Amino acid sequence: MKFLLLSLSLLTASSAVTQTPIYLDVNAPLEDRVEDALSRMTTKEKVALSHAQSKFSSAGCERLGIPELWMSDGPHGVRAEINWNDWGYSNWGSDSVTAFPALTALAATWNPEMAALYGKSVGEEARYREKDVLLGPGVNIYRTPMNGRNFEYMGEDPYLAGVMAVPYIQELQKNGVAACVKHFALNDQEQWRGAVNVNVSDRALYEIYLPAFKRAVQDGGAWSIMGAYNRIWNQHCCHNERLLDDILKGEWGFDGAVITDWGGCHDTREAALNGLDIEMGSFTNGLTSEADFGFNDYYLADPYYNLIEAGEVNDSIVNDKARRVLRLIFRTAMDQSKPFGNKCTPEHYAAAKQIGDESIVLLKNNGILPLAPGKRILVVGENATRRLTDGGGSSELKVKDYISPLQAITEAYGNVDYAMGYKSGRPMYGRADEIPQAVQDSLRAQAVAKAANADVVIFVGGLNKNSFQDCEATDRQSYNLPFGQDQLIEELLAVNPNMIIANISGNAYAMPWIDKVPAVLHSSYLGTMGGASMADVISGKVNPSGKLPYSIPVKLEDCGAHAFGEKSYPGYDAAPSAEERPGGDVYGNPVDPQQDYMEDILVGYRWHDTKKIPALFPFGYGMSYTTYDYGKGSIAENGSGWTVSVPVTNVGNVAGQEIVQLYVGDDKASVLRPVKELKGFEKIALAPGETKIVSFDITMDDLKFYDEASKSWVAEPGKFKAYVGASSTDIRSTLPFELKK
Ligand code: BGC
């Protein structure tokens, strides 16, 4: 930035004689500026744009006053400063931030206005921290509850994830901070993520796994995208010809930069030729402990330059990469009108609180909630006090403030006792089996003894951000709650059945005790203000209005991804002979891990519906403290499609927000189609007694499937149904209509 200001003032002083170069003229069209800058650069300077110069930055062009790009995780807040050349934290005193709710919570709000507020707020914090690229949002599809990283994504439905990603990206980028939508594509599990080759049909790719990315790029206008670690068509995603060149840059017309995931690049020639623009994080420690691997040794550094010099990379490719990086720099670091930003403001805390409030899902309530004051309350569970912004991998945040559930429940009710009940170990790397069984037994006994004397028990457990839980780089090892929580819940219920479960997790989990528990709240990681949101929902100050962005199957085998054995999840080793895979690679991993997405297009509720396997709690489900009455729905042709309308009335005593959902199903088709698919939703606020009419348009595109033979989207004439409902299974109006020939 200093270079830029210097050049500008020199230019102003001599403007009588020299004209401002176009690339420095903030009023000139972006493309002219980029072309002008490009025309002044040497090949070496262009190459320098395409790889890291530190763990989280890449070079600009110092000679021309073009600044560096600074990046940061993402996606729930701005990560603490990382050292120049290793993964350690820099321990600054000024990098603590607001932790916003996890993206899975944002999806549970089903409210694009919350996504806009989120993008605006996190963008202001990124700007204040002088970041040009925020590594998020994540829009990979929730395929299995075992994926350790689902909390960073927006659920199992591509339409919901896409619609929510757009305002996040648009508002974030208004701060001069680029979104980097990740992880493109099919990074739907953490196990073997660096190598697994995903075998997926083109139909599932286009209908399920790509649409949210497409929306993020085309409607959100994302300025950058992050390649995934895994492989597809046996080629790594970060330099995958079909994914990056044909689909992203070709079919979708993406004009931004493709950035690797950190360490996701594996080959110079592929990286040079197949659409990668910026290589980050290759090798582990860069110059410090691996002196053999400096930043110049990156695949897109000297080896790339040598390939160009050898005449093996066309100028057009070199220029295309540099042009995309320059565009990214001009849109962010070079943006003269970008705001200064701010962090940890009352507005940001209010935003985090409001998003959290709207995300909590009430799964069950026999009337115990909202909880009246005046009771002796016992809170049990480690998550009532544990700071859940620690751990989880790259999304870890250093928070300035963190309101825990115990703190907020105590403030709301006064008379609150606490028992930990179980212990999980250090954040991130702790393992439950490190904790001696005697310790777990005594924690459990202590909680059970206290429960016998309480009027009501609020259980705040769930998963946490340790490895093998909701954490990057590993998948979960069991669908059941960890750390002996099922046993603990059963023992607590035996002495005090008056229990509210208020678990925190970024994933579905088994609930073997569900029939015995009077009330269950499902909350994701809500960050700085999470405890306050939870306490307000428990007390009724906030009427819950979140709905599930993913199905909660009764058991793991009921989930489509798990219905076909290990071929489908987690995969298998395709190395040709036993000699080539004696126990896999040196770490015991498969040599050539492959995975077949055998449930194909039937992901999440599409599987439950079509195979008639009811979920314990279905996609789109969530209760309220009031009741919404759906009137008779209607459908009418509107010239270009159909309009569906339904009146919805709040017939209870408290104000609330209802999420009205539209699904469309094809009665008969030449290919297998899911019973129905989400095509619209609207969250409406209703005062007691109030009625609103909700309308949705159904377009021709909403009727189409991806036809592999013709490689195009096809709507087959015939009968369809529009379903209007309060969840994917709670359908209140079924409205037939016909697409005529
Ligand atoms: C993660 C990315 C993250 C990057 C930088 C990788 O391990 O997969 O999501 O943005 O690290 O921290």
Side-chain angles (χ1 to χ4, degrees):
M1 183 50 73
K2 280 195 197 98
F3 305 121
L4 174 65
L5 296 178
L6 184 67
S7 331
L8 277 174
S9 52
L10 287 175
L11 289 161
T12 320
S14 58
S15 59
V17 270
T18 336
Q19 273 205 321
T20 306
I22 300 171
Y23 80 95
L24 286 175
D25 178 357
V26 293
N27 297 315
L30 179 82
E31 292 307 312
D32 294 354
R33 299 178 68 197
V34 168
E35 290 310 317
D36 184 42
L38 191 64
S39 71
R40 295 165 192 267
M41 293 175 78
T42 64
T43 304
K44 270 231 151 84
E45 286 170 339
K46 291 176 192 171
V47 167
L49 294 176
S50 279
H51 61 90
Q53 58 159 18
S54 78
K55 266 277 171 269
F56 279 91
S57 72
S58 60
C61 181
E62 195 171 329
R63 182 178 64 86
L64 297 176
I66 295 172
E68 303 159 342
L69 271 178
W70 279 88
M71 316 179 189
S72 173
D73 286 299
H76 308 139
V78 189
R79 193 179 185 184
E81 293 301 322
I82 304 275
N83 291 338
W84 187 269
N85 206 11
D86 66 57
W87 281 105
Y89 284 116
S90 311
N91 297 319
W92 285 17
S94 57
D95 57 355
S96 58
V97 294
T98 308
F100 295 92
L103 288 194
T104 192
L106 177 62
T109 70
W110 293 63
N111 188 346
E113 282 175 25
M114 289 302 105
L117 182 62
Y118 197 125
K120 174 180 186 293
S121 311
V122 76
E124 286 169 357
E125 301 225 347
R127 192 61 267 142
Y128 184 87
R129 291 271 310 279
E130 302 194 325
K131 303 304 176 195
D132 306 304
V133 181
L134 188 74
L135 306 174
V139 294
N140 291 93
I141 291 296
Y142 184 123
R143 173 177 181 252
T144 155
M146 303 308 275
N147 180 11
R149 243 182 145 176
N150 280 333
F151 69 100
E152 288 190 63
Y153 306 137
M154 291 198 271
E156 72 187 26
D157 184 80
Y159 177 78
L160 176 63
V163 168
M164 296 299 285
V166 168
Y168 177 116
I169 294 166
Q170 290 172 337
E171 290 300 317
L172 167 71
Q173 294 191 161
K174 283 185 188 160
N175 290 283
V177 177
C180 184
V181 184
K182 63 195 193 183
H183 307 88
F184 190 61
L186 298 157
N187 181 184
D188 308 313
Q189 71 185 40
E190 289 299 286
Q191 186 163 341
W192 307 332
R193 67 176 178 175
V196 71
N197 181 60
V198 177
N199 297 302
V200 66
S201 72
D202 271 7
R203 195 165 161 217
L205 185 69
Y206 276 91
E207 291 187 20
I208 305 292
Y209 296 100
L210 294 186
F213 285 102
K214 185 179 181 191
R215 233 178 242 275
V217 164
Q218 293 192 332
D219 299 350
W223 292 335
S224 66
I225 201 165
M226 184 188 290
Y229 279 133
N230 49 285
R231 294 180 294 158
I232 172 170
W233 307 299
N234 289 307
Q235 192 170 52
H236 273 100
C237 289
C238 288
H239 28 78
N240 190 294
E241 186 177 6
R242 188 170 162 212
L243 202 57
L244 303 181
D245 278 340
D246 298 351
I247 298 176
L248 175 67
K249 295 180 176 177
E251 289 172 29
W252 301 351
F254 176 64
D255 73 354
V258 175
I259 302 176
T260 57
D261 199 339
W262 269 231
C265 187
H266 302 270
D267 185 89
T268 294
R269 192 174 303 272
E270 282 190 8
L273 301 179
N274 295 349
L276 176 64
D277 302 309
I278 304 180
E279 176 194 4
M280 298 297 297
S282 296
F283 319 117
T284 16
N285 278 319
L287 289 168
T288 47
S289 62
E290 293 185 13
D292 290 347
F293 300 120
F295 291 106
N296 285 346
D297 297 311
Y298 272 39
Y299 298 98
L300 280 188
D302 288 353
Y304 172 42
Y305 181 78
N306 295 338
L307 217 56
I308 301 170
E309 288 294 286
E312 293 187 44
V313 185
N314 286 339
D315 277 358
S316 64
I317 291 180
V318 178
N319 286 335
D320 180 65
K321 280 194 208 309
R323 186 179 286 123
R324 288 170 183 275
V325 182
L326 286 171
R327 214 178 262 139
L328 181 59
I329 297 176
F330 278 82
R331 283 168 165 165
T332 58
M334 285 276 270
D335 175 358
Q336 297 295 292
S337 62
K338 63 188 180 231
F340 286 106
N342 47 42
K343 72 175 177 79
C344 300
T345 60
E347 290 77 16
H348 290 178
Y349 284 9
K353 169 76 168 45
Q354 197 185 348
I355 297 161
D357 287 354
E358 287 205 21
S359 76
I360 295 178
V361 184
L362 177 60
L363 292 180
K364 183 175 177 187
N365 187 14
N366 73 353
I368 189 174
L369 284 173
L371 184 68
K375 307 236 170 32
R376 284 171 305 158
I377 296 173
L378 173 71
V379 173
V380 179
E382 198 190 49
N383 284 350
T385 57
R386 190 181 176 88
R387 202 169 57 187
L388 292 164
T389 46
D390 293 342
S394 58
S395 64
E396 178 170 72
L397 291 170
K398 176 172 161 187
V399 282
K400 180 156 173 291
D401 296 292
Y402 186 83
I403 300 180
S404 73
L406 181 63
Q407 186 186 339
I409 294 169
T410 306
E411 271 166 29
Y413 287 93
N415 190 9
V416 175
D417 195 7
Y418 174 65
M420 199 173 185
Y422 66 89
K423 203 172 171 174
S424 70
R426 296 162 293 148
M428 195 110 102
Y429 301 110
R431 297 281 303 261
D433 52 20
E434 289 172 4
I435 316 280
Q437 191 54 43
V439 172
Q440 301 288 30
D441 289 346
S442 91
L443 287 170
R444 195 172 63 249
Q446 202 179 45
V448 172
K450 285 188 173 192
N453 296 318
D455 294 327
V456 56
V457 177
I458 303 178
F459 186 88
V460 189
L463 305 185
N464 64 24
K465 300 284 192 64
N466 284 12
S467 294
F468 304 104
Q469 306 298 326
D470 283 326
C471 184
E472 183 179 338
T474 52
D475 277 355
R476 293 167 66 194
Q477 293 178 320
S478 159
Y479 184 52
N480 279 78
L481 286 176
F483 322 124
Q485 289 177 79
D486 286 337
Q487 184 188 350
L488 172 60
I489 291 171
E490 294 285 359
E491 289 187 21
L492 290 166
L493 281 167
V495 299
N496 192 337
N498 222 15
M499 185 191 285
I500 296 161
I501 302 240
N503 278 348
I504 300 173
S505 85
N507 256 317
Y509 53 86
M511 302 186 189
W513 27 258
I514 189 71
D515 291 338
K516 297 182 215 161
V517 185
V520 179
L521 290 167
H522 192 69
S523 166
S524 186
Y525 304 98
L526 302 187
T528 292
M529 301 298 288
S533 289
M534 184 181 284
D536 282 355
V537 167
I538 290 173
S539 72
K541 208 165 154 189
V542 167
N543 186 359
S545 68
K547 295 204 180 192
L548 290 175
Y550 47 78
S551 314
I552 301 186
V554 176
K555 52 188 191 305
L556 198 56
E557 306 80 70
D558 291 354
C559 164
H562 295 271
F564 301 92
E566 67 176 28
K567 263 198 120 176
S568 189
Y569 178 90
Y572 53 96
D573 195 347
S577 66
E579 293 80 67
E580 287 180 50
R581 50 181 159 93
D585 66 9
V586 286
Y587 302 107
N589 291 322
V591 174
D592 178 15
Q594 296 280 332
Q595 177 181 31
D596 305 345
Y597 279 19
M598 295 174 78
E599 76 285 11
D600 201 46
I601 52 162
L602 298 181
V603 176
Y605 67 90
R606 289 165 167 82
W607 175 265
H608 288 285
D609 269 9
T610 310
K611 298 290 176 182
K612 300 195 169 57
I613 301 169
L616 180 61
F617 293 106
F619 173 80
Y621 173 82
M623 299 166 71
S624 164
Y625 295 151
T626 188
T627 307
Y628 304 103
D629 184 63
Y630 283 60
K632 206 167 163 322
S634 62
I635 187 163
E637 282 189 40
N638 63 18
S640 57
W642 298 262
T643 300
V644 168
S645 297
V646 64
V648 181
T649 307
N650 180 349
V651 294
N653 300 323
V654 288
Q657 294 193 80
E658 170 66 333
I659 298 156
V660 184
Q661 299 156 46
L662 170 79
Y663 297 82
V664 172
D666 191 347
D667 276 7
K668 215 172 121 219
S670 61
V671 294
L672 171 77
R673 300 203 70 178
V675 170
K676 58 183 177 314
E677 300 182 90
L678 186 72
K679 296 295 175 185
F681 61 88
E682 199 175 331
K683 191 167 195 174
I684 49 165
L686 291 170
E690 191 183 3
T691 300
K692 277 186 184 154
I693 295 182
V694 179
S695 295
F696 301 102
D697 285 340
I698 298 176
T699 67
M700 203 60 83
D701 283 348
D702 294 329
L703 311 184
K704 291 178 177 167
F705 63 87
Y706 184 80
D707 179 46
E708 295 190 336
S710 65
K711 297 190 184 349
S712 64
W713 291 88
V714 173
E716 288 177 342
K719 294 190 170 132
F720 289 80
K721 284 192 187 76
Y723 303 88
V724 181
S727 82
S728 61
T729 59
D730 184 4
I731 300 303
R732 307 292 177 93
S733 280
T734 301
L735 307 163
F737 64 101
E738 192 173 343
L739 174 64
K740 306 227 169 62
K741 281 210 173 84

